[in-house]
Amino acid sequence: MRRVSLLFIVMLSVLSCFAQKKTDISAGYIPTGFEAMAQIERLPVLYPAGTKKTRIVSYDASGGNGFGLFQAMFKKYVDRNGEIVFFDAYGPGCLYRQQINIWINNGVGAKNKGIRIKYYFDDEAVPRIDAPVYEFFNGEYPPINEPFVFRQKQQQFGVAYYPLSFEKRLRITLADTLLVRMEQNNIEASCNWQQFDYLAYPAGTKVKTWDANTVEYEETVKKQWAEIGLDPKNTSGNQSVEKTVSLRPGEQAVVFEHKGEASITAIQLKMEPFNPETFYHTHIRIQWDDLPLPAVDLPVSYFFGGGGVKDNKWNDVFYSLLFGFDAQNHSAYCYWPMPFWKRATISLVNNSTENIASLTCHTSWKPALALGYPKKETGYFRTKLTRDSSPGGGLSRQDFAKPYASAFYEKGHGHVVAVNIWSGNFWEDGDEFTYIDGSRTPQIHGDGTEDDFNQGWAGAQYQKPLWGALENGVKGAYRIHLNEPYIYYNSIDMRFEYTNTINRGEDRPRKRTGTDSTKIETEFVVWYYQSSEDSALMLTDSVDVGNSDSENVHAYTIAGQKDLNTLTQSYDSYESADDYDVVTDDGRSFDGYCEFKVKLSPQNKGVRLRKRINRTGNGIQTATVYVDEKKVSVPWYILTCSEQANRKERSFDGWFDSEFEIPAFCTQGKKQVNIRVEHAQSIKNELNSYYYWIYCYQ
């Protein structure tokens, strides 16, 4: 009888494993909202072709520090109801992260706490959310409350991580009689910032628009966030290996090794002695399958969020949702899911000058029968540390060797899921510039480094599940991009701008022990997943508008032409580099349409259409796109600022690379298509184009 019972239990266990494999991971399914936040196991799965992280932000493209201007930067347009629209995006998509600062000094919220924030879904006339903005970010508007919203006590900034999915469109506005008066009288308030990050999914993706009455998976995420330090993933089916080693200086040991298909779910270390020498100079090295180099090769201090020896955080306690360390317990943890298919090896290397008497590594892993990942649609877990420096830390005006700090560069196909910054003499007003897939316009542009890490006004020591800092907004600041990762299909180049602000002696928050006062230093740690394939985006054609040979080859025609001109403009500039990336190009503007034929790869999984435009004075633009006479359901929507006047030699508006995603069902199996772009709406009643690039997803 006992044998029968035991056999029955084993059979149930095996069946459970197979069931989990089928339901947990599916490359073709795209969860959104709380469902995506809860399913941390899905982090390694690559996103379907055409999925993009997008940010709507108040930023100064001239490179100046004027991104707090309400009229010129924060506001995008005024709708027919007189409400200030500052976020407008077409779906399918999901808004995952909101960071806003409107409360202090000249911020509009400081002038009137009764200003309301409204969320309009799918072109509905009545907002589904209508709340005082002050109360909304203070968690006083159920069901949107803690722990998913946060407003800093000094009212400097607010953050929301309550996901809002939308099938067709999402518009967010501010409404108040004060704002109407400011608009009528052109009053320019100057302390208003916002960064709203969302994922845009390919046309046709099934996304259910947010409804306050349906909050599936919310309790799961709340539980995950309430138990920081524990593995937030489902641990059923886990197996574990624990190994304790002692290491003399220069020695290394393999603490985990597995052959076959599986995934690591947790790595937990305990080290004796736990001191600056061992914390900063013991390396963790992880190798996957047949990759020629280790995917992880970092000091444990950086890997678990503690920075380098100059940061002197070895004696702290740091907890985030997916990694951290506790100097009091001499321990560290990470819970990133890490799939592999042939073999995995974790080694620890003692590069310190001390003997490590005891180093225990407890590794949890799941066999493929418990949790399987589709290899072709899954990325390998990787990390990278990027160090950069430049003269200029103590000077009032510095001609930097380059106008930015390099934070992360990679070629291939993957997505960035976490970033940690450490710095010395780096001023937080520097903006983020992240260029993706070769675009010369940063797809992600920030309005201050501390804001990019969810803080404001230099930042402070917060430890939230997805963001915070061990010191401030530029030293030990971290952000986990759990569900709005930086998705790249052939390359990513992440930069943070140097500013011309003087680093005076009293500016202790920006100083760093061991960093020369005349030098700026930065260190960025990036956690990411990347495919073993080189690229998933291939250039198959290009159209040089205004060039007769190129136009003839592509059967380019235009209706309603308004102008043919040659312009010399710059792309988004850096504060220390006026007119950055200057280009001279010729192009055409029209109020009718243009059309042209382009070559494709028949095996494409969709097409990305990129064009260079001159955005000067034309702000918000909308076009209708047809592929072989069939209308694409989502419009080509370009949302840029247009009201900022030139400041001396800085031009606010200039070249802008705008992109449009054509879904696979319009292009698959075709070697050539005809594309027509029709003018629908714009400030100047015209569209323009100077160059087109046609990329195929593969």
Side-chain angles (χ1 to χ4, degrees), residues 585-597:
D585 200 0
D586 48 11
R588 303 177 186 272
S589 62
F590 57 91
D591 59 8
Y593 67 87
C594 72
E595 64 179 319
F596 44 89
K597 297 183 184 298

Side-chain angles (χ1 to χ4, degrees), residues 545-546 551 556 558 561 563-564 586-590 687-689:
V545 180
E551 290 182 342
Y556 180 93
I558 189 169
Q561 177 170 301
D563 194 16
L564 168 64
D586 48 11
R588 303 177 186 272
S589 62
F590 57 91
L687 300 177
N688 65 69
S689 53

Side-chain angles (χ1 to χ4, degrees), residues 65-95:
N65 200 26
F67 42 68
L69 299 175
F70 180 72
Q71 300 279 14
M73 306 296 176
F74 191 96
K75 181 200 71 173
K76 305 306 178 188
Y77 64 93
V78 180
D79 68 12
R80 65 183 63 183
N81 298 321
E83 297 175 6
I84 302 296
V85 180
F86 66 96
F87 179 96
D88 193 353
Y90 283 87
C94 186
L95 175 62

Side-chain angles (χ1 to χ4, degrees), residues 392-428:
L395 304 177
S396 60
R397 173 81 184 184
Q398 175 66 44
D399 293 326
F400 303 103
K402 58 181 179 180
Y404 57 85
S406 295
F408 177 67
Y409 178 79
E410 188 64 272
K411 288 185 176 180
H413 174 207
H415 50 270
V416 170
V417 290
V419 182
N420 189 196
I421 178 177
W422 301 91
S423 68
N425 301 323
F426 180 83
W427 200 270
E428 64 273 3

Side-chain angles (χ1 to χ4, degrees), residues 223-262:
K223 186 175 186 294
Q224 291 172 337
W225 287 25
E227 297 176 345
I228 298 299
L230 300 179
D231 191 345
K233 306 186 298 299
N234 183 354
T235 58
S236 63
N238 276 9
Q239 299 185 28
S240 64
V241 173
E242 183 169 291
K243 187 170 184 179
T244 300
V245 298
S246 59
L247 295 174
R248 295 176 181 177
E251 288 186 338
Q252 67 177 16
V254 174
V255 292
F256 176 82
E257 189 170 20
H258 183 83
K259 292 184 178 180
E261 182 180 350

Side-chain angles (χ1 to χ4, degrees), residues 2 27 51 160 181 187 241 269 388 427 436 534 563 630 691:
R2 291 180 62 187
T51 309
R181 295 196 304 272
I187 298 173
V241 173
L269 293 185
D388 204 355
W427 200 270
I436 295 179
D534 291 336
D563 194 16
K630 292 184 179 180
Y691 207 100

Side-chain angles (χ1 to χ4, degrees), residues 274-294:
F274 191 101
N275 58 32
E277 187 65 21
T278 59
F279 186 58
Y280 295 124
H281 300 293
T282 301
H283 276 235
I284 182 169
R285 187 173 293 159
I286 306 177
Q287 294 181 280
W288 309 121
D289 294 346
D290 297 325
L291 298 185
L293 297 174

Side-chain angles (χ1 to χ4, degrees), residues 24-31 39-48 337 339 372-374 376-380 413-415 417 485 487 529:
D24 280 4
I25 301 298
S26 171
Y29 175 62
I30 306 178
Q39 295 182 7
I40 296 173
E41 294 86 351
R42 293 188 59 89
L43 279 179
V45 179
L46 300 170
Y47 286 82
Y373 288 87
K376 292 184 178 180
E377 289 82 30
T378 303
Y380 286 107
H413 174 207
H415 50 270
V417 290
I487 303 169
Y529 291 93

